[in-house]
């Protein structure tokens, strides 16, 4: 299996621009998670889906963040407008059981 | 108080040493616990689950102490390649059993 696939791997943008991060989970995994990792806050859960349905988005920082999962093989995390404090590594992970998770390689986002 | 806490380290040990990390959790109802390994600028990778009776995988041993609410990871005969950050995950979020992660413990194994 190819594992979790994320794109882009690196993104540099300017404050105020829209950013879209993409994720393809492992086939057959019913759960998909979006995390953000920074030195200051560690690894934070933003939102997770079960069978394409958002279950818990309490970790989403504010209305500028949105996530969708239109089908079992694709999810997006969008930030609009982006701010410098959004700079972080964003990981997508999938899981068959909601407990142990398989992470993608991450998207390193820099907002100038 | 964070739900899952770890000593950030770094733990600096020579090759061949035995090293142990602890991770405390605050939610006594927690059900699932894991150790992940994260190399520099890489994604976390599942190292092992932690079972109530304790479990071993080669040089790695994980244990759970429910009374004191901590999990531990013991690494025997440390290798240079064990240098990484070790994240524990556990607890429950709103009863959904989705684990939350600690900040990680950095291990440096030197020759």
């Amino acid at each position: 299996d190819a594992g979790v696939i994320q794109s882009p791997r690196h993104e540099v943008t300017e404050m105020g621009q829209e950013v879209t991060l993409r994720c393809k989970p492992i086939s057959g995994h019913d759960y998909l998670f979006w995390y953000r990792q920074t030195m200051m806050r560690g690894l934070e859960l933003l939102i997770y889906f079960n069978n394409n349905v958002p279950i818990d988005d309490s970790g989403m920082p504010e209305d500028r963040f949105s996530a969708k999962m239109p089908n079992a093989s694709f999810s997006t995390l969008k930030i609009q407008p982006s701010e410098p404090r959004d700079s972080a590594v964003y990981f997508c992970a999938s899981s068959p059981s909601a407990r142990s998770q398989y992470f993608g390689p991450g998207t390193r986002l820099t907002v100038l | 108080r964070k739900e899952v806490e770890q000593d950030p380290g770094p733990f600096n040990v020579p090759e061949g040493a035995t090293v142990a990390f602890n991770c405390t959790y605050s939610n006594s109802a927690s059900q699932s616990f894991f150790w992940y390994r994260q190399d520099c600028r890489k994604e976390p990778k599942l190292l092992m689950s932690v079972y109530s009776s304790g479990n071993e995988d080669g040089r790695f041993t994980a244990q759970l102490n429910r009374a004191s609410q901590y999990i531990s990871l013991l690494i025997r005969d440390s290798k240079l390649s064990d240098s990484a950050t070790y994240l524990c995950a556990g607890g429950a979020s709103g009863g959904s059993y989705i684990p939350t992660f600690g900040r990680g413990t950095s291990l440096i194994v030197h020759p």
Side-chain angles (χ1 to χ4, degrees):
Chain A
D1 202 329
V4 176
I5 299 172
Q6 289 187 247
S7 65
R9 296 291 304 276
H10 301 273
E11 177 80 26
V12 180
T13 190
E14 293 189 345
M15 182 172 64
Q17 297 298 305
E18 177 178 296
V19 175
T20 299
L21 311 181
R22 298 172 176 79
C23 175
K24 176 179 169 55
I26 294 171
S27 177
H29 283 191
D30 293 334
Y31 289 84
L32 183 138
F33 307 82
W34 282 101
Y35 288 89
R36 177 173 69 176
Q37 188 174 40
T38 61
M39 289 293 292
M40 290 296 293
R41 300 176 69 87
L43 194 61
E44 303 174 278
L45 177 65
L46 300 177
I47 185 171
Y48 79 94
F49 296 82
N50 178 211
N51 292 321
N52 313 340
V53 177
I55 303 300
D56 184 354
D57 65 354
S58 59
M60 297 284 261
E62 49 199 89
D63 292 346
R64 297 184 299 105
F65 286 69
S66 63
K68 294 182 179 179
M69 191 166 186
N71 58 61
S73 59
F74 184 65
S75 177
T76 59
L77 178 68
K78 186 176 293 186
I79 309 172
Q80 165 64 17
S82 58
E83 297 183 3
R85 60 193 168 119
D86 302 331
S87 297
V89 181
Y90 290 81
F91 289 107
C92 175
S94 69
S95 173
S97 67
R99 302 194 181 196
S100 59
Q101 285 137 23
Y102 298 83
F103 286 79
T107 296
R108 189 169 297 273
L109 173 65
T110 303
V111 183
L112 302 174
Chain B
R1 180 183 175 189
K2 285 183 66 66
E3 195 165 327
V4 177
E5 295 199 59
Q6 298 181 252
D7 180 346
F11 285 64
N12 204 319
V13 303
E15 268 187 294
T18 295
V19 61
F21 313 131
N22 283 348
C23 169
T24 60
Y25 61 94
S26 59
N27 188 340
S28 60
S30 300
Q31 297 286 327
S32 303
F33 302 93
F34 307 90
W35 284 102
Y36 286 77
R37 171 193 169 125
Q38 186 173 23
D39 292 294
C40 187
R41 301 180 75 83
K42 298 287 189 181
E43 72 272 23
K45 292 185 178 178
L46 180 64
L47 180 64
M48 58 197 303
S49 302
V50 185
Y51 302 120
S52 298
S53 56
N55 48 296
E56 190 173 301
D57 183 1
R59 297 182 294 108
F60 298 83
T61 300
Q63 292 195 312
L64 167 62
N65 185 318
R66 287 199 181 275
S68 301
Q69 294 188 201
Y70 72 87
I71 63 172
S72 63
L73 178 68
L74 180 80
I75 305 175
R76 290 181 298 279
D77 188 22
S78 300
K79 312 292 185 189
L80 296 178
S81 57
D82 293 334
S83 298
T85 297
Y86 291 84
L87 304 169
C88 66
S93 175
S96 62
Y97 301 116
I98 302 296
T100 55
F101 285 80
R103 296 281 301 275
T105 296
S106 175
L107 171 65
I108 301 169
V109 182
H110 59 81

